[in-house]
Amino acid sequence: MLKAMDTETIDAKTTEYDPLNTQSAEEVLQWTFEKFGDRGALMSSFGLEDVVLIDMMAKINPKARVITLDTGRLNQETYDVMDKIRDKYGLHIEVMFPDSKKVQEMVRAKGMNLFYHSLENRKECCRVRKVDLLNRALGNLDAWITGLRRAQVVTRTETKKVEIDHDHGGMAKINPIADWAVNQVWDYVKANQVPFNVLHERGYPSIGCAPCTRAISTGEDLRAGRWWWELPEHKECGLHVQSP
Ligand code: SF4
């Protein structure tokens, strides 16, 4: 991973990255593969946005890397779509697991369902099962690709298509469909017959770990089903929080 950057480097990268904001998702992906090669990868949870990106990537660069973080608490439906994607695209999915010793220590000390008891416990679980794992995965990359969209949640309204990830040493964070609306995502999935997580048809716009995600009702915020017992401003697991 890159080290923290000086102002001159930040300015140069901003000048290089910002024009990509007006490019299509496919153009942004093409640029990413040309610039970063194997040092760039999609970090996928196999949500609707991620399967769109996998389909695009398979058409542009079939050898593009796809990494997934298996927290150990995912839904069966998530594993099902993972296998469907593997079969359809012949994809080698780089599955990563959290440090078993740390998970064991946490669960022995605080129980299997610690996340319901306090925000601090929830963040600890996310750190042990996801954030530490993400940092391990990013340690071997210069760019990570995500399915973030501005319309998903209040904390993502400023998301650019290519940005400097200050929380991860200044590496590039690529969000090719940052400007897409949810209906564009669905249209792409249907038009290209992309396998998707069936939970999306059961009221789950956003899917994370099984015990921390529920279906939402009509009119609710798209991320209302994630950590539904918490305030909206707390609804990030630490994977996509950008330092000011
Ligand atoms: Fe733990 Fe829930 Fe975070 Fe998954 S989403 S890592 S189960 S707190």
Side-chain angles (χ1 to χ4, degrees):
M1 197 186 298
L2 301 173
K3 292 203 170 99
M5 293 180 295
D6 55 43
T7 312
E8 208 173 300
T9 310
I10 290 172
D11 288 347
K13 284 190 180 292
T14 304
T15 303
E16 181 185 11
Y17 294 170
D18 277 1
L20 289 152
N21 249 325
T22 57
Q23 304 284 297
S24 70
E26 287 90 344
E27 287 168 332
V28 170
L29 285 171
Q30 184 71 50
W31 174 86
T32 303
F33 299 138
E34 283 168 11
K35 183 165 181 74
F36 298 104
D38 273 357
R39 301 286 298 174
L42 172 68
M43 206 61 62
S44 171
S45 61
F46 294 89
L48 205 62
E49 289 79 6
D50 292 343
V51 295
V52 164
L53 291 172
I54 287 171
D55 186 84
M56 283 182 189
M57 287 165 58
K59 288 166 181 164
I60 299 168
N61 175 15
K63 291 192 173 162
R65 294 177 63 191
V66 176
I67 300 174
T68 194
L69 311 179
D70 185 346
T71 62
R73 300 299 303 259
L74 303 180
N75 293 283
Q76 178 59 37
E77 290 85 350
T78 301
Y79 296 117
D80 291 343
V81 73
M82 236 184 254
D83 275 357
K84 282 184 191 162
I85 290 278
R86 189 195 305 265
D87 291 345
K88 178 173 168 92
Y89 300 100
L91 194 64
H92 171 73
I93 301 169
E94 301 177 41
V95 186
M96 294 184 67
F97 298 95
D99 183 315
S100 58
K101 193 160 174 281
K102 284 188 189 164
V103 172
Q104 186 173 288
E105 280 168 7
M106 177 181 73
V107 170
R108 285 184 181 182
K110 299 191 172 179
M112 287 303 293
N113 296 319
L114 69 158
F115 29 79
Y116 294 138
H117 303 150
S118 69
L119 180 61
E120 185 187 48
N121 277 5
R122 200 276 287 167
K123 286 189 170 175
E124 180 181 348
C125 186
C126 279
R127 179 178 54 73
V128 169
R129 290 185 184 271
K130 285 188 193 179
V131 180
D132 288 356
L133 188 52
L134 175 74
N135 290 336
R136 186 155 32 106
L138 296 185
N140 294 315
L141 298 175
D142 294 329
W144 60 310
I145 303 165
T146 87
L148 292 187
R149 291 187 300 107
R150 290 171 202 143
Q152 280 167 325
V153 69
V154 287
T155 52
R156 297 181 183 173
T157 53
E158 304 294 321
T159 302
K160 294 180 182 176
K161 290 201 177 183
V162 181
E163 53 193 18
I164 300 168
D165 187 347
H166 293 285
D167 290 321
H168 297 106
M171 69 190 302
K173 188 169 179 180
I174 319 288
N175 314 301
I177 56 171
D179 56 344
W180 283 31
V182 67
N183 60 315
Q184 283 177 274
V185 183
W186 273 114
D187 287 349
Y188 185 99
V189 166
K190 301 284 182 191
N192 293 279
Q193 298 182 310
V194 183
F196 63 89
N197 193 321
V198 294
L199 290 175
H200 287 305
E201 290 185 320
R202 297 180 196 157
Y204 288 72
S206 171
I207 303 167
C209 293
C212 298
T213 314
R214 65 158 170 76
I216 64 167
S217 308
T218 310
E220 274 193 298
D221 184 85
L222 287 180
R223 293 214 10 129
R226 301 294 295 275
W227 309 290
W228 64 91
W229 61 93
E230 293 180 2
L231 296 170
E233 56 269 34
H234 293 154
K235 287 173 182 285
E236 289 286 2
C237 57
L239 298 189
H240 298 295
V241 177
Q242 186 83 308
S243 297

